């Protein structure tokens, strides 16, 4: 399959969420995947961080040949999303980067449009950060959504509490306007949200095992994961687990039968109130038609074969560093 990953790669930024990096490694180590490119979006870290982070990860993985495109630097509506813009600004400059690691002008939208519209029915996007780049690509060409083979969104939640606010999952909360555009676009969306991602785990025993091989890549990955587990332990009062959010979404893009789904209408709350970024998911078709007059716009993951996924993750990522 031909896959593009749209990512807010924090691996490489001290104390940032490294999990996008594991997802990228999973794709690189999946035999059926041709990874056509990475597009970078703001999120865990600004693009000024994810650019050097991505170059470092691809270099350590021996895949500096993968196309890399900088993308949107902040949410679509920064005046409405001051909190999110502030989150990005607080990250400051990347540490450890070299002067030529400054990201070039954004080409992610153009890349996404050209590859998707130029190869109808062939390209799947795994969107594992805020949906700003994907929304821009949707709006750049009326044929974009219909030309996608698939769009797996790591984001949202149906029935479990949010992870950035009680109502919202982080990626959707960072740019609700973009998420709303994408869910309303007619794209063939699979939503892999917290309902399934929170059933996956990565703990210190696994990261110790990963680091044991002693390669530069293994040490880089293990250190990044351990530092993030420490951050989470402080934030979440004892919940030391790292959830494999992005890796599960990429794995589902490659092998959809890892997950169970229901068809649903997903509406995104774009207010600036406490529910901003909530994914209001209508699962009852009768009520949905009666109350909204709308059909389903996504297949929403509600179950996961955790054992099979964690075996694949161990084989493809942790054992191969
Ligand atoms: O809510 C989970 C998402 O936000 C993932 O994409 C992860 O990278 C985190 O930052
Ligand atoms: Ca992410």
């Amino acid at each position: 399959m031909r896959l593009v990953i749209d990512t807010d790669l924090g691996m490489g930024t001290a104390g940032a969420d490294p999990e996008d990096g594991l997802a990228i490694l999973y794709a690189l180590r999946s035999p059926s995947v041709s990874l056509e490119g990475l597009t970078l979006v703001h999120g865990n870290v600004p693009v000024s961080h994810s650019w050097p982070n991505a170059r470092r990860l691809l270099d350590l993985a021996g895949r500096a040949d993968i196309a890399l495109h900088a993308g949107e630097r902040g949410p679509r509506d920064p005046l409405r999303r001051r909190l999110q813009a502030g989150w990005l600004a607080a990250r400051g400059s990347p540490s450890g980067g070299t002067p030529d690691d400054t990201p070039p002008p954004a080409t992610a939208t153009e890349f996404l449009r050209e590859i998707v519209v130029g190869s109808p029915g062939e390209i799947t996007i795994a969107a594992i950060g805020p949906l700003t780049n994907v929304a821009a690509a949707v709006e750049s060409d009326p044929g974009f959504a219909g030309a996608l083979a698939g769009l797996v969104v790591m984001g949202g939640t149906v029935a479990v509490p949010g992870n950035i606010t009680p109502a919202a999952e982080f990626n959707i909360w960072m740019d609700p306007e973009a998420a709303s555009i994408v869910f309303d676009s007619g794209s063939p969306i699979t939503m892999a949200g917290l309902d399934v991602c929170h059933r996956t785990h990565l703990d210190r025993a696994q990261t110790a095992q990963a680091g044991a091989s002693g390669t530069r890549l293994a040490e880089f990955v293990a250190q990044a994961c351990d530092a993030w587990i420490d951050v989470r332990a402080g934030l979440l009062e004892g919940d030391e687990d790292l959830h494999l959010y992005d890796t599960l979404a990429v794995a589902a893009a490659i092998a959809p039968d890892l997950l169970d789904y229901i068809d649903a209408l997903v509406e995104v709350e774009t207010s600036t109130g406490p529910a901003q970024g909530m994914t209001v998911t209508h699962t009852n078709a009768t009520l949905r038609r009666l109350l909204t007059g709308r059909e389903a716009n996504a297949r929403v993951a509600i179950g996961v074969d955790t054992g099979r996924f964690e075996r694949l993750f161990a084989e493809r990522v942790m054992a191969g560093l």
Side-chain angles (χ1 to χ4, degrees):
M1 71 173 301
R2 298 179 65 193
L3 182 69
V4 174
I5 300 182
D6 186 64
T7 171
D8 56 338
L9 180 62
M11 184 180 274
T13 294
D17 184 341
E19 208 255 310
D20 292 66
L22 302 176
I24 292 164
L25 290 170
Y26 187 100
L28 288 173
R29 303 284 161 75
S30 293
S32 63
V33 172
S34 167
L35 185 58
E36 305 276 324
L38 300 181
T39 50
L40 303 178
V41 69
H42 69 94
N44 287 314
V45 293
V47 173
S48 58
H49 286 231
S50 57
W51 177 265
N53 290 348
R55 296 217 318 162
R56 185 172 176 191
L57 180 67
L58 292 175
D59 186 45
L60 287 171
R63 292 304 308 270
D65 59 299
I66 301 280
L68 188 60
H69 293 270
E72 300 295 322
R73 268 40 173 194
R76 283 179 70 84
D77 192 343
L79 293 180
R80 273 167 73 80
R81 303 297 161 203
R82 289 175 196 274
L83 202 56
Q84 289 87 337
W87 166 288
L88 293 164
R91 285 287 184 188
S93 303
S95 57
T98 54
D100 69 345
D101 276 344
T102 305
T107 50
T109 303
E110 198 182 336
F111 170 74
L112 290 171
R113 183 183 65 242
E114 283 179 3
I115 195 167
V116 169
V117 176
S119 311
E122 286 188 26
I123 304 296
T124 296
I125 298 176
I128 59 175
L131 287 165
T132 322
N133 285 345
V134 182
V138 162
E139 291 194 322
S140 74
D141 192 313
F144 180 85
L148 281 165
L151 170 59
V152 180
V153 172
M154 190 288 113
T157 184
V158 181
V160 307
N163 63 351
I164 183 72
T165 71
E169 180 280 329
F170 177 81
N171 287 339
I172 306 297
W173 176 87
M174 275 299 279
D175 197 344
E177 281 78 16
S180 182
I181 288 166
V182 171
F183 275 100
D184 287 346
S185 68
S187 298
I189 296 175
T190 297
M191 176 173 129
L194 302 186
D195 308 86
V196 286
C197 295
H198 276 185
R199 296 186 213 167
T200 66
H201 302 279
L202 177 69
D203 58 27
R204 288 183 200 278
Q206 287 165 284
T207 62
Q209 203 175 24
S213 74
T215 65
R216 283 172 62 221
L217 178 61
E219 282 172 10
F220 176 59
V221 169
Q223 274 171 14
C225 292
D226 283 341
W228 178 238
I229 292 173
D230 289 342
V231 170
R232 282 185 61 94
L235 271 178
L236 299 181
E237 297 163 357
D239 175 7
E240 293 196 5
D241 274 345
L242 192 90
H243 298 293
L244 294 165
Y245 301 101
D246 298 323
T247 316
L248 183 63
V250 165
I254 299 167
D257 65 346
L258 277 171
L259 304 179
D260 298 319
Y261 309 91
I262 47 170
D263 288 335
L265 170 67
V266 179
E267 296 185 293
V268 179
E269 175 57 60
T270 55
S271 73
T272 53
Q276 64 179 292
M278 184 174 184
T279 41
V280 179
T281 305
H282 303 260
T283 54
N284 181 308
T286 308
L287 287 174
R288 177 179 76 224
R289 288 186 188 119
L290 190 67
L291 297 173
T292 72
R294 298 180 62 192
E295 294 300 327
N297 59 4
R299 64 175 185 170
V300 174
I302 51 163
V304 53
D305 184 342
T306 311
R308 185 174 150 217
F309 167 68
E310 291 192 347
R311 275 194 304 280
L312 284 167
F313 174 72
E315 285 164 22
R316 291 189 183 174
V317 181
M318 299 319 244
L321 296 173

